[in-house]
Amino acid sequence: MIHITKPFLPPLEEYNSFIAEIWSRNWLTNNGPLVNKLESELKKHLDIKHLLYTTNGTIAIQIAIKALGLKGEIITTPFSYVATTSSIVWENCQPVFVDINLNSFNIDETKIEKAITEKTSAILATHVYGNPCEVDQIEKIALKHNLKVIYDAAHCFGSKYNNRTLLDYGDITTISFHATKVFHTIEGGALITKDPDLLKKMSRMRNFGHAGPEHFEEVGINGKNSEFHAAMGLVNLKYIGKILDKRKKDHERYDKYLSRLKLQKPKLINRGESNYSYYAVAFKNEQQCLKVFKALEEENIFARRYFHPNLADLPYIEEKYSLDNTNNLSKRILCLPLFYELTSVEIEMICSLILKNLK
Ligand SMILES: *Cc1c(COP(=O)(O)O)cnc(C)c1O
């Protein structure tokens, strides 16, 4: 049995030593010392100024939308995980979908301006599979039309643009530290911003709106995370270099074995660097894609149609869109198994099954 992913688990003793600390302090949650330590180590590691550790990546998107006071329409990508769209709807805004670019698989920035109306308040884009969007172009559009920008960088730990972390763009960037992501804290996520006032506001919002024990400055939610989750992050952070190196090697292995098929893969933009968090390939058509999916499944190998369906087809989206590139890609795309313990023999086996079925 080979799953699409398998969470990285560090040596148990290392996690246990943090747990012993928690036991002796009896401080389990509410902005504890390990949460603070994780936040400061992440800021150092990523070379960024501000970061707030949250319960998960979805609550981070929701707090970002709330903190920026977004209303009306938010321009977004139909090719992402459902949380990108559902968070917009959850915050009582309307998602407006702009088609993707078939090279990068990210939102096509050249189509954004056409979608802007008087009601547009922001752009919420996903850096799909850890590959950067055209952040400079998106910033220009946002400045010209006075829009806010949020990046869903759930996939992007270790991704870079211009030799720097990709996590420092837009008004706010959100990330997920879910167990299936390259860097994880079991459940978890973060909010990243350069703006100190926005940071303060989001920090209150993360903690019920508290601005003092009996003082509430605004509506908040419970978006904080625990000492146990932070402990997992602190241990895993030591291994992130190894995890990212392994991902890159696995990509090269897949590429080598599958090269004959000339499958379509997402392309990086200029000055962009991926973290190789997913191995995504687009087959010629849906029929080929499903054939491979089923053939793997018969051998207990689980690929994933990530992302399918097109988010504009969600049952709670009423407007009709014609998003040719997204429709086309989401039907043909598969993410193949990729995780720290995956062996080169397993990759070879997966690839030979694919080759056999596409003969
Ligand atoms: C995983 C993911 C999320 C949600 O993150 P959680 O931490 O699971 O809430 C949001 N957007 C994208 C693109 C994701 O892959």
Side-chain angles (χ1 to χ4, degrees):
M1 178 109 84
I2 305 176
H3 281 286
I4 171 73
T5 184
K6 197 166 159 183
F8 174 81
L9 281 175
L12 183 58
E13 320 80 77
E14 292 185 28
Y15 186 61
N16 278 344
S17 74
F18 279 107
I19 301 308
E21 252 186 60
I22 298 174
W23 241 255
S24 65
R25 256 194 309 267
N26 201 344
W27 188 347
L28 312 186
T29 186
N30 284 13
N31 207 26
L34 295 182
V35 163
N36 278 302
K37 191 165 161 72
L38 179 64
E39 286 182 343
S40 69
E41 291 207 0
L42 286 171
K43 283 186 275 190
K44 207 161 31 159
H45 179 91
L46 297 165
D47 187 25
I48 52 174
K49 222 165 169 179
H50 307 302
L51 175 146
L52 292 169
Y53 182 41
T54 58
T55 321
N56 55 58
T58 305
I59 206 88
I61 302 173
Q62 287 167 211
I63 291 175
I65 294 172
K66 192 80 101 197
L68 291 169
L70 302 184
K71 297 263 169 342
E73 298 173 358
I74 299 180
I75 291 176
T76 189
T77 176
F79 191 70
S80 181
Y81 183 57
V82 68
T84 318
T85 299
S86 63
S87 300
I88 295 173
V89 177
W90 194 267
E91 292 304 325
N92 281 317
C93 294
Q94 192 193 333
V96 171
F97 296 100
V98 165
D99 209 359
I100 56 168
N101 176 306
L102 272 185
N103 287 315
S104 68
F105 300 0
N106 285 325
I107 193 166
D108 185 342
E109 74 288 348
T110 65
K111 293 182 179 155
I112 289 177
E113 283 200 284
K114 258 184 282 171
I116 295 174
T117 72
E118 279 171 6
K119 291 189 198 146
T120 309
S121 60
I123 301 165
L124 169 42
T126 302
H127 303 295
V128 173
Y129 309 136
N131 298 336
C133 295
E134 290 281 4
V135 287
D136 293 332
Q137 297 307 318
I138 292 174
E139 186 177 333
K140 268 188 208 146
I141 297 165
L143 278 174
K144 182 171 159 198
H145 297 272
N146 196 21
L147 303 176
K148 301 291 183 190
V149 179
I150 300 172
Y151 286 109
D152 179 349
H155 299 166
C156 300
F157 202 95
S159 298
K160 290 185 177 165
Y161 180 66
N162 262 343
N163 285 320
R164 266 208 79 219
T165 180
L166 179 59
L167 299 175
D168 213 8
Y169 288 89
D171 294 279
I172 302 172
T173 284
T174 66
I175 186 166
S176 165
F177 302 144
H178 182 255
T180 56
K181 311 294 204 246
V182 273
F183 169 76
H184 83 86
T185 68
I186 312 170
E187 290 276 357
L191 285 154
I192 295 156
T193 184
K194 292 192 187 81
D195 179 341
D197 294 329
L198 204 48
L199 178 84
K200 274 192 213 120
K201 185 168 192 172
M202 295 193 297
S203 163
R204 289 191 300 263
M205 283 184 159
R206 177 181 65 165
N207 189 28
F208 305 99
H210 272 291
E214 292 161 27
H215 180 49
F216 299 92
E217 204 145 304
E218 58 223 313
V219 176
I221 197 160
N222 184 356
K224 59 192 156 50
N225 213 332
S226 82
E227 292 291 279
F228 293 81
H229 293 86
M232 183 61 105
L234 286 165
V235 182
N236 282 348
L237 197 54
K238 292 195 219 152
Y239 293 91
I240 189 64
K242 278 188 181 167
I243 294 170
L244 292 172
D245 284 348
K246 168 71 166 43
R247 283 292 220 266
K248 185 163 186 213
K249 287 208 183 74
D250 286 349
H251 264 251
E252 288 162 2
R253 289 189 181 110
Y254 269 122
D255 282 348
K256 186 176 96 188
Y257 294 126
L258 295 176
S259 64
R260 197 149 60 65
L261 295 174
K262 303 214 166 12
L263 298 172
Q264 185 189 354
K265 289 181 55 193
K267 289 199 184 78
L268 278 170
I269 60 166
N270 244 343
R271 292 174 286 151
E273 274 177 63
S274 184
N275 59 355
Y276 302 95
S277 49
Y278 296 84
Y279 193 85
V281 277
F283 294 88
K284 239 186 236 127
N285 49 45
E286 186 168 31
Q287 194 193 352
Q288 273 203 355
C289 174
L290 291 176
K291 189 171 179 202
V292 167
F293 183 82
K294 284 179 190 139
L296 293 174
E297 199 176 48
E298 273 167 28
E299 301 295 326
N300 283 319
I301 298 167
F302 300 97
R304 191 166 168 208
R305 301 186 79 191
Y306 198 58
F307 305 105
H308 181 269
N310 176 343
L311 294 174
D313 293 337
L314 286 167
Y316 46 84
I317 301 298
E318 283 160 18
E319 298 68 27
K320 291 282 162 270
Y321 290 89
S322 58
L323 301 163
D324 295 342
N325 292 346
T326 308
N327 282 330
N328 168 320
L329 184 71
S330 62
K331 288 192 175 94
R332 305 184 284 126
I333 193 95
L334 274 192
C335 283
L336 300 179
L338 196 62
F339 49 88
Y340 192 72
E341 287 173 39
L342 187 68
T343 66
S344 49
V345 174
E346 287 170 325
I347 293 179
E348 194 174 352
M349 181 176 80
I350 294 165
C351 294
S352 61
L353 267 166
I354 296 174
L355 288 164
K356 196 171 90 186
N357 277 277
L358 293 185
K359 254 212 302 254

